[in-house]
Amino acid sequence: MSSFRAIRIDKDANSSTAAYVEMSEKDLMPGDVELDVTHSAINYKDGLAVTGKGPVVRRFPMIPGVDLAGRVTHSAHGDFRPGDIVVATGCGLGESHYGGFAQKARVNGDWLVRLPDSLTPARAMTIGTAGLTAMLCVLALERHGLSPADGLSVVTGATGGVGSFAVALLASAGWRVAAVTGHAAEAEYLHSLGAGEIILRESLASPGKPLQTQRFAAGIDTVGGVTLANLLAQTQFDGAIAACGNVGGMDLPTTVAPFILRGVSLLGVESIRPRIALRRAAWVRIATDIDPAMIDSMMEIIPFDEALERASTIVTGKIRGRVVIEISHA
């Protein structure tokens, strides 16, 4: 197929516009692996890109879609050959390099991971950047030497994408998990993921003392700000918090007290850089540790024809769970 269908964002002097277009394979950006994209997913970043409500796109024109899965059709990379089923997340996709909202992609092979046999492309896209980030946080805590025997773990923003996967992954690894949420009605959902205790967000939302009663051996924080400061103040000796989000603000209103008086560690986690060996290890663990039935319960599959409209709605909070795009090549 020399031409393919895509959602493309174009920009003029005043605004950006997203629309379905026909493109040629010669329009694809440089890379050593070409693939037929079979699935993508709608992330909040994609909604910002499509609507122009956030500075996500770094060059125009751009094909959005920060996550993609597909079948390799041509490879000049030693790790891949035609027919391989692969997944890519982050790495500038949908921001500075054409992403997953298209039938075709050409990417750097160092961004790709061969999908474990136990994961379908649709399930991989349900996991996507959110699940990968959560797994990278779990691996960071493990590299720090922490284990379930050390005590209680905590996850903030627990009903969000990263938070939900973090609860499930920690519980699967044997941790007792306290899930922090602003919605008491979500308790049943969080218990179904493996949370043993529910903490209301309000209890961590106000500034507190630099050192508070020790509660947590480990944590995954998706919020930042005052919430993270309180987690650090409540972390026990030699514990650690893996931080990967900032919806609560970029500032961290704390002191050195937790670090120098209790030996607490703050572990920064990002999921943008390739770091292919770490990504491969993370996807293997994800495939092993997450119950497929739980993945399926979070998944809604839509056809490519509905992707543009649905991507526009995520910024208004009208999407629940994970919306996976099935991209037909008929």
Side-chain angles (χ1 to χ4, degrees):
M1 178 172 68
S2 60
S3 65
F4 64 94
R5 196 163 179 240
I7 294 173
R8 190 177 69 198
I9 305 172
D10 293 282
K11 186 176 183 181
D12 59 24
N14 299 312
S15 63
S16 63
T17 304
Y20 288 97
V21 298
E22 289 288 328
M23 297 180 65
S24 170
E25 290 184 14
K26 65 180 179 59
D27 298 324
L28 290 170
M29 297 179 70
D32 53 6
V33 178
E34 296 179 8
L35 58 143
D36 286 337
V37 180
T38 62
H39 296 79
S40 187
I42 299 175
N43 292 279
Y44 191 75
K45 270 188 175 181
D46 301 317
L48 293 176
V50 164
T51 60
K53 293 183 177 180
V56 172
V57 178
R58 301 176 192 171
R59 67 174 301 279
F60 293 91
M62 179 53 57
I63 297 173
V66 303
D67 296 341
L68 64 83
R71 180 178 293 102
V72 173
T73 56
H74 178 269
S75 175
H77 190 287
D79 290 345
F80 303 102
R81 57 186 177 183
D84 287 343
I85 306 300
V86 295
V87 60
T89 62
C91 300
L93 291 173
E95 301 177 54
S96 58
H97 193 99
Y98 286 169
F101 288 11
Q103 291 175 311
K104 290 277 187 179
R106 182 186 294 134
V107 300
N108 187 328
D110 289 338
W111 302 348
L112 297 171
V113 173
R114 188 178 291 104
L115 200 61
D117 292 339
S118 60
L119 285 178
T120 65
R123 283 173 176 164
M125 289 296 91
T126 304
I127 295 161
T129 293
L132 177 66
T133 302
M135 189 73 250
L136 292 175
C137 288
V138 173
L139 292 175
L141 293 170
E142 291 177 353
R143 288 197 305 272
H144 192 70
L146 294 169
S147 72
D150 293 315
L152 181 67
S153 67
V154 62
V155 175
T156 62
T159 57
V162 177
S164 293
F165 280 110
V167 171
L169 287 166
L170 285 170
S172 177
W175 285 90
R176 291 185 296 115
V177 183
V180 181
T181 180
H183 308 285
E186 300 286 0
E188 182 177 352
Y189 166 71
L190 292 169
H191 285 311
S192 74
L193 297 179
E197 178 181 341
I198 307 300
I199 298 175
L200 293 180
R201 180 174 59 202
E202 290 74 16
S203 67
L204 296 170
S206 298
K209 296 179 179 179
L211 291 177
Q212 301 170 31
T213 301
Q214 297 178 53
R215 302 176 69 186
F216 311 117
I220 295 175
D221 175 60
T222 71
V223 177
V226 171
T227 297
L228 176 55
N230 281 321
L231 285 192
L232 293 167
Q234 295 179 25
T235 300
Q236 67 189 37
F237 283 104
D238 299 324
I241 303 295
C244 62
N246 65 340
V247 296
M250 293 289 286
D251 293 336
L252 181 57
T254 188
T255 72
V256 297
F259 310 115
I260 65 173
L261 297 180
R262 289 182 179 167
V264 171
S265 294
L266 177 60
L267 311 176
V269 174
E270 56 82 26
S271 57
I272 301 300
R273 291 179 297 151
R275 296 179 298 164
I276 194 63
L278 180 59
R279 282 175 177 261
R280 287 172 176 167
W283 277 103
V284 168
R285 278 287 299 274
I286 288 169
T288 301
D289 290 6
I290 297 186
D291 182 358
M294 192 208 81
I295 301 174
D296 292 346
S297 72
M298 300 173 66
M299 180 198 309
E300 177 191 357
I301 297 179
I302 64 169
F304 192 29
D305 286 342
E306 297 178 12
L308 182 55
E309 179 183 359
R310 293 298 298 277
S312 300
T313 65
I314 194 171
V315 296
T316 64
K318 294 181 179 179
I319 285 182
R320 293 292 182 269
R322 290 281 290 172
V323 176
V324 174
I325 305 166
E326 187 172 53
I327 300 180
S328 171
H329 289 259

